[in-house]
Amino acid sequence: MTATFTAVDSIRRKRDGLALTTAEIRSLVEGYVDGRIPDYQMSAFLMAVYFRGLCDREMTDLTMAMAHSGDMISFGDNPRIVDKHSTGGVGDKTSLVVVPLVAAAGVVVPKMSGRGLGHTGGTLDKLESIPGFRVFLSPEEFRRTVAEVGAAIVGQTGNLVPADKLLYALRDVTATVDSVGLIASSIMSKKIAGGAQRLVLDVKAGRGAFMPAPDRATELARAMTAIGKGVGLRVVAAVTSMDQPLGLAVGNALEVEEAIGCLKGEGPPDLQEEAVELGAHMLVLAGVEPDLPRARDRLTRTLSSGRGAEKFEQMVTAQGGDGRVVDDPRAVLPRAPVALEVTSAKAGWVRSIDALAVGHLTMRLGAGRQRKEDDIDPRVGVTLGAKVGDRLEQGALLGVVYAATDGDARAAARAFEKAFELASEPVPPPALFHGVVS
Amino acid sequence: MTATFTAVDSIRRKRDGLALTTAEIRSLVEGYVDGRIPDYQMSAFLMAVYFRGLCDREMTDLTMAMAHSGDMISFGDNPRIVDKHSTGGVGDKTSLVVVPLVAAAGVVVPKMSGRGLGHTGGTLDKLESIPGFRVFLSPEEFRRTVAEVGAAIVGQTGNLVPADKLLYALRDVTATVDSVGLIASSIMSKKIAGGAQRLVLDVKAGRGAFMPAPDRATELARAMTAIGKGVGLRVVAAVTSMDQPLGLAVGNALEVEEAIGCLKGEGPPDLQEEAVELGAHMLVLAGVEPDLPRARDRLTRTLSSGRGAEKFEQMVTAQGGDGRVVDDPRAVLPRAPVALEVTSAKAGWVRSIDALAVGHLTMRLGAGRQRKEDDIDPRVGVTLGAKVGDRLEQGALLGVVYAATDGDARAAARAFEKAFELASEPVPPPALFHGVVS
């Protein structure tokens, strides 16, 4: 009765635009996790937060209350440990490139990743397209891999941030997902419980991002750096473009192949730029290089030398995967039985490629999940034959659809063609980075 | 699953400020009542409504969806049937006066009333202080009393507006009570399910009202007349002052005594004015008089003739109560064992009498309920010795506290004295009516 009474007071105060106290926020989160505060009060509170927002201090308090709701992992205070997180996009395989790349330069990356949901892919799903690759390591295996290789990418194990799992499930069915304060606290609580002390965030903005408007994405980036300051975590947040897919490949095995190519210095240019830029911030945070220009140089050299690709091979092998994937991706990775080329009906310059549409069509091909329970097909997806700004002649390749059946391929090809918008005038290539908040 | 999915869409649309369709609102209410839509979605929806409001059409749809969630009573289409409802205040015994008064003038009033909660009293509690009075009549008894006497005041029976009961309980614990659209729909759904076709509303504004700000009270009045228009119900809504208590008596038996005095033409002036004014609107709505001036005249004459008091006696007798209460209230009504006079420590003009404070102190004396389950003591309360604008000399009577024990009386007397604010300059008597919306 007392707890319920307190909860309704907190709801009312937030509803009226007041900031809640640290104790109030902790009591709400603890009370919700242990069942004293019912779903119906929490959902009303979340909707009030949707409308009123959270100040930096409230976000910090919410983050810490959630982080402390379950296990807290620690990797000690090694300053070379840096984590990386992306808010998710279409064709976003940056982690597959940047983690081995910076590890090859001396940064230590014990990274916990997630699975894909909706139109975006997940790093774990991509890695699992490599035969034998295990994303679930025991705590000992995880530590040993990080110690020996300098990097590991695993799924969340144990009871990490149960408050976030409960709250996210409730937000999902009460239209309260889309709140900067709640999103920022959710992401940061998982990073903090996972032991992060230095963190580079890639906040996606654009058609294919969860937060399409660049100013909202910047607000989210700012919120997460503010939480970082509040809890003593060093955070750099880049806001990057997700209007068109990142790189050329969308789909799990296809993206692994592209990431390996990029680690060998073969591009594509936007993926390489993003990996080098985010990686450079990681090197500076780790103290491996004193400034960004030198960090960029170092990583560009690491790419050309092939040491990033070697590191990826070590990591794959350490996690049980077939390391030969680095030398010959096509021989090792599963291939879709149907490949259908899609060509342009007219000539022009590519004005836009709708990342959301591409995300949805690859999800329908089986590359992603509509619901958490869905299985995915690692083989399917698309590769782009052109990017925004490219000149296309009539009949030129827009891309290739990789599908399980001819019917799937034809349906996807129609949607894929529609995702391209052509202009009759040259289109300047878009900027990848909107800005950096730290 | 489908219903849940629809609910989250409706929440999102309301959250984004869109108007919901009639079918959507019906589906939400029906789904909630039959359990397909869980509390946590409804509470998120209610909080979104708190922030975004409801347009007139949505309020009308919500009202009708709630009204149809249970039994619908009908008294046929007798144009002389008019209902009356007050949003509740301190010392508000207007129904006890106006119902027999208009019935004596030919209006038919089959009125369903409620119990008191918080700082305001309820008409049923007041009537029950008359020995033998039964507020729960069988449907047959109710009809017979209305047919023979022209008026009856009863409690709600049967399964009337279950959606409102469920929603109100949820709003109470999720800080979503205070929404004009939800309040208006709740009141109107009960009136419509209760069979009202013509309705005079008394919307209280001021310290002792649920909606203190006059502009919010006016908004509520406007919302309820809009719903009336939407459903073909003739509604007149008066916004009246509840800054100081209405009349001089606060407490159940004390208010019955005062109401009887008023029906005999003995005032107090504000209670008589309110009863005549609201009653006049009822006479015009019923077609008993063609306009307000004639209706006021008629009711003033009914008061002086004593026919209102006679009608009250008939109603009390028909509902099992001791009709001698009209001739000699003090002999019939229960009396508190302790009566403590409170006098003014200084001279001056009464600037204000805090109705909320008086409501709370009489509740603590036992005249009202903090929780629905609480019992009430019909004997206790206060009578005022002065009203706003009155001149007081030092030592003059502020009022009398009626209590069950000396300790209760002394505690109440201290709070009662504090409820008065004196001025050193004359204070004009306040207006009772802020306005009328129809």
Side-chain angles (χ1 to χ4, degrees), chain A residues 4 8 11-12 15-16 39-41 43-44 47-48 50-52 170 172-178, chain B residues 4 8 11-12 15-16 39-41 43-44 47-48 50-52 170 172-178:
Chain A
T4 308
V8 70
I11 300 168
R12 183 177 298 112
R15 184 198 76 182
D16 294 344
D39 287 337
Y40 56 81
Q41 287 189 316
S43 64
M47 188 58 86
Y50 176 88
F51 281 98
R52 294 295 194 178
L170 186 63
D172 195 35
V173 292
T174 55
T176 50
V177 168
D178 187 23
Chain B
T4 307
V8 70
I11 300 168
R12 183 177 298 109
R15 183 198 77 181
D16 293 344
D39 287 336
Y40 56 80
Q41 287 188 316
S43 64
M47 187 59 86
Y50 177 88
F51 281 98
R52 294 295 193 178
L170 186 63
D172 194 36
V173 293
T174 55
T176 49
V177 167
D178 187 22

Side-chain angles (χ1 to χ4, degrees), chain B residues 125-274:
Chain B
D125 297 326
K126 293 169 195 177
L127 285 169
E128 283 184 336
S129 68
I130 302 170
F133 194 97
R134 290 189 301 123
V135 299
F136 290 108
L137 303 183
S138 70
E140 293 71 38
E141 285 175 312
F142 186 29
R143 272 176 216 286
R144 199 175 56 235
T145 305
V146 171
E148 289 172 5
V149 180
I153 302 179
V154 300
Q156 219 189 68
T157 54
N159 184 31
L160 228 60
V161 203
D164 181 67
K165 291 193 186 77
L166 291 169
L167 284 170
Y168 191 85
L170 186 63
R171 289 164 60 201
D172 194 36
V173 293
T174 55
T176 49
V177 167
D178 187 22
S179 152
V180 164
L182 296 177
I183 295 170
S185 303
S186 168
I187 293 172
M188 293 301 286
S189 70
K190 286 181 281 193
K191 290 290 141 189
I192 289 164
Q197 294 191 317
R198 284 157 207 82
L199 174 61
V200 172
L201 291 162
D202 181 11
V203 182
K204 299 288 189 195
R207 280 287 285 158
F210 284 108
M211 212 51 116
D215 56 342
R216 290 269 288 163
T218 303
E219 199 190 326
L220 177 60
R222 199 209 58 76
M224 292 193 287
T225 55
I227 294 171
K229 286 196 183 77
V231 305
L233 181 71
R234 295 188 59 196
V235 178
V236 173
V239 180
T240 64
S241 173
M242 183 35 66
D243 284 308
Q244 63 176 335
L246 184 66
L248 301 170
V250 182
N252 298 286
L254 296 166
E255 292 189 44
V256 169
E257 185 182 339
E258 181 171 71
I260 290 168
C262 187
L263 282 164
K264 292 174 175 173
E266 295 159 11
D270 60 343
L271 176 60
Q272 178 173 327
E273 180 191 347
E274 182 155 314

Side-chain angles (χ1 to χ4, degrees), chain A residues 336-342 361 364-366 380-382 399-417:
Chain A
V338 179
L340 178 61
E341 295 198 341
V342 183
L361 77 90
R364 283 193 299 269
L365 280 170
V380 301
V382 296
V400 183
V401 170
Y402 296 90
T405 68
D406 285 332
D408 283 0
R410 278 194 299 271
R414 280 190 296 273
F416 185 64
E417 197 180 346

Side-chain angles (χ1 to χ4, degrees), chain A residues 314-338:
Chain A
Q314 289 170 31
M315 191 184 85
V316 167
T317 307
Q319 294 196 233
D322 186 342
R324 292 172 299 175
V325 73
V326 173
D327 280 339
D328 193 353
R330 300 209 170 191
V332 172
L333 293 169
R335 302 286 291 174
V338 179

